[in-house]
Amino acid sequence: MDGAAALEKLVPVLAAFGGGVLLARRKVVPAEASKAFADYAFLFAVPCYLFGNIYASDLGALFDWRAIGGYTAAAALAVAVLVCASAAYGVREPRAVALRVMAGVQVNTAYFAVPVFITVFGTAAPIFPVLLFQVCVLSLVVIAIMELGRAGAGAGSPGQRLRRALTASLTTPLVLACNAAILLNLVSVHVPRVALDGAAFVGDSASPVALFALGLHLGRLGLDVRGTTREELALIGFKCLAFPLLTWAVCGAVFGVRGEWLAYLVLIAAMPTPQNLFIFAQRYDVGVDLSASLVIKSSVVSLLLIPVWLQTVAS
């Protein structure tokens, strides 16, 4: 895929994202509405899309264990690099380190990867194994560190707070929809066609609405490029360049992943820092300004680099 073809694939993504930015900047649509659009996509449209597509998928092909193992190994190596780099930079407080690990390794699946994959590949199903890995492993580790480091906050003991947080993470609509689809697929339960059609109808709106919400969010906050710190540059560079390259090297050279799956994994790794980073930072009162800046700037950089990655992995 050459550069022009890759860019052509992203025209719908740019239109939805750019439309949100433009309408927010001109105050045609209130920028505060981004939360409502984002909640609709995250809590309803994306789960509907994933449920229908995973239920109808070949799970044997969807869960390519060599590919998943390669991505997990690349993520583990990336976590180790970020922990060491944070310590060298003078960041040793566990919650601050966990926040930086989340910024450099976790990816924006619901608001960014899903619409991009739908547009480019016609399906977002390959994202699901990585989504589960993020929620069931990476997010749980981050939540555990954050909860245990938040002395005296909230009701109950640290163990009770941690248990509540982990339960909330595992019972999000995204995870419940995916798990329900897998279970019904495995036990061959027939889901009525009208239900699948309804899920597809709602799910088709997930891509443009999620990107439009992200555009509204960016249009409200703006982009302060000159105020970018060295640490921000390092974390954005790691997320948008180093992590995809590391994933390519580990999955391709070490685990022997080839073809479409290698392209999927590299492109997933190239997705920006998730908006959940800002939510976590606010909830646990750590690195709030840094998190907001990383979410916005990594989204812009990723959007600019996606055509390059598409051309590279397809060559």
Side-chain angles (χ1 to χ4, degrees), residues 113-196:
V114 167
V116 168
F117 266 65
I118 292 173
T119 303
V120 175
F121 300 113
T123 177
I127 296 171
F128 173 64
V130 174
L131 173 64
L132 270 191
F133 170 68
Q134 284 200 162
V135 173
C136 298
V137 180
L138 291 176
S139 289
L140 294 193
V141 172
V142 171
I143 290 172
I145 294 173
M146 294 291 190
E147 283 290 335
L148 294 176
R150 190 176 63 165
S157 65
Q160 291 173 326
R161 297 200 309 270
L162 176 59
R163 187 164 54 252
R164 288 196 298 267
L166 298 184
T167 300
S169 178
L170 290 172
T171 55
T172 59
L174 225 61
V175 178
L176 290 176
C178 293
N179 287 336
I182 288 179
L183 178 62
L184 295 176
N185 183 304
L186 289 175
V187 299
S188 299
V189 172
H190 174 69
V191 175
R193 171 52 56 184
V194 64
L196 293 176

Side-chain angles (χ1 to χ4, degrees), residues 126-283:
I127 296 171
F128 173 64
V130 174
L131 173 64
L132 270 191
F133 170 68
Q134 284 200 162
V135 173
C136 298
V137 180
L138 291 176
S139 289
L140 294 193
V141 172
V142 171
I143 290 172
I145 294 173
M146 294 291 190
E147 283 290 335
L148 294 176
R150 190 176 63 165
S157 65
Q160 291 173 326
R161 297 200 309 270
L162 176 59
R163 187 164 54 252
R164 288 196 298 267
L166 298 184
T167 300
S169 178
L170 290 172
T171 55
T172 59
L174 225 61
V175 178
L176 290 176
C178 293
N179 287 336
I182 288 179
L183 178 62
L184 295 176
N185 183 304
L186 289 175
V187 299
S188 299
V189 172
H190 174 69
V191 175
R193 171 52 56 184
V194 64
L196 293 176
D197 288 345
F201 179 78
V202 174
D204 285 344
S205 68
S207 173
V209 170
L211 287 168
F212 184 73
L214 195 61
L216 286 176
H217 182 72
L218 176 60
R220 177 172 64 90
L221 295 181
L223 192 65
D224 182 14
V225 177
R226 285 183 291 183
T228 304
T229 65
R230 290 184 178 179
E231 184 180 22
E232 290 173 8
L233 285 173
L235 286 169
I236 292 169
F238 187 90
K239 179 69 206 69
C240 299
L241 289 171
F243 186 40
L245 287 172
L246 183 63
T247 301
W248 193 359
V250 172
C251 294
V254 180
F255 283 79
V257 181
R258 298 287 184 270
E260 287 185 338
W261 264 109
L262 184 59
Y264 293 155
L265 296 176
V266 172
L267 198 59
I268 289 172
M271 293 296 115
T273 297
Q275 287 178 314
N276 284 348
L277 182 77
F278 182 65
I279 296 173
F280 275 43
Q282 283 188 313
R283 176 176 175 81

Side-chain angles (χ1 to χ4, degrees), residues 279-303:
I279 296 173
F280 275 43
Q282 283 188 313
R283 176 176 175 81
Y284 297 106
D285 192 25
V286 54
V288 177
D289 292 339
L290 174 66
S291 300
S293 179
L294 289 175
V295 170
I296 294 171
K297 293 173 183 177
S298 68
S299 297
V300 174
V301 173
S302 290
L303 197 61

